[in-house]
Structure formats: structure tokens, C-alpha cells
Amino acid sequence: MRGHDSLISMRRAGQRPAMVFINDWPCKTDWLEHGDHATVSTAGDAIELLDLRFLVGLQVSVSSGDERRARALFDRCKAAGAALVAANHVQPEVQPHLQAGWTDIWTREVAHG
């Protein structure tokens, strides 16, 4: 996993990004230099071994070119305590307006008292 160290440091300092993008392909993860939207790459990682606790209470967007991995990351982000997870299976060979891959959005229920 790449790009998460800066995010962990940010969380330890009591700060949070507006959004975390988890891309399951090699990508730039120099997000801290460019703004408030964190980017983490999980390319090549064993998803079941990822420690995603830094996602507690955050809004997360997951994208993968492999539907099985997209679904697994979706479930892992929810289990890690994310507040909202939007995930999709991106089809790199298909034009954006013709995409037909899997997608789902989940929001953690908030107890109202």
C-alpha cells in the first residue's frame, strides 16, 4: 500500500481529508502536496492483509479494474470503520459513458438519540 503514511500522520495530528481515494492500480500518491483529497494505491497488495484503520469515520472512494478486488476492498473499508464507501469496478478498455462494471455505495448508519 502506498500513500497511507501521510494519511496516518494526518489522523494522528487530529486532521482528516475530505475524501480518500483508494485506487487498485499504480498511481501517484503525492496527494499531501496537492490538497485535501488523499490517494492510496493498493496495486499488487493482498487485500485481506491491509490495515485500513486510518479510514475510521472517513468518506472513501474505491476503484479497481478487477471486480473481485473492488468488492473485497469495499468490504474491507466498511469493516475498518469508514463512514461512507463508494466502490466500482472500472473497465479500462471501455469508454466512461459505456461502463457496465459493478458499483455500490454504502453509508454507515448513525444512531440518533
Side-chain angles (χ1 to χ4, degrees):
M1 192 163 42
R2 282 128 330 268
H4 66 292
D5 290 329
S6 297
L7 182 50
I8 291 170
S9 295
M10 180 185 236
R11 298 303 309 263
R12 286 183 176 152
Q15 301 170 329
R16 61 178 36 217
M19 175 70 76
V20 178
F21 293 95
I22 296 184
N23 297 330
D24 192 39
W25 56 76
C27 64
K28 290 186 177 187
T29 58
D30 57 351
W31 59 270
L32 192 57
E33 300 170 17
H34 302 289
D36 192 25
H37 295 79
T39 303
V40 174
S41 172
T42 58
D45 293 333
I47 294 171
E48 65 277 4
L49 300 178
L50 296 176
D51 182 354
L52 301 175
R53 290 176 291 173
F54 57 84
L55 297 176
V56 170
L58 298 181
Q59 296 183 60
V60 181
S61 172
V62 172
S63 295
S64 177
D66 179 289
E67 182 177 343
R68 180 188 56 79
R69 287 180 62 85
R71 288 177 181 268
L73 283 164
F74 180 70
D75 290 339
R76 295 282 301 183
C77 291
K78 294 187 312 184
L84 178 141
V85 183
N88 66 355
H89 164 222
V90 177
Q91 300 165 307
E93 67 283 353
V94 178
Q95 293 289 329
H97 64 284
L98 298 175
Q99 292 279 320
W102 169 84
T103 189
D104 201 351
I105 299 172
W106 172 86
T107 304
R108 179 168 300 286
E109 287 188 33
V110 178
H112 297 281

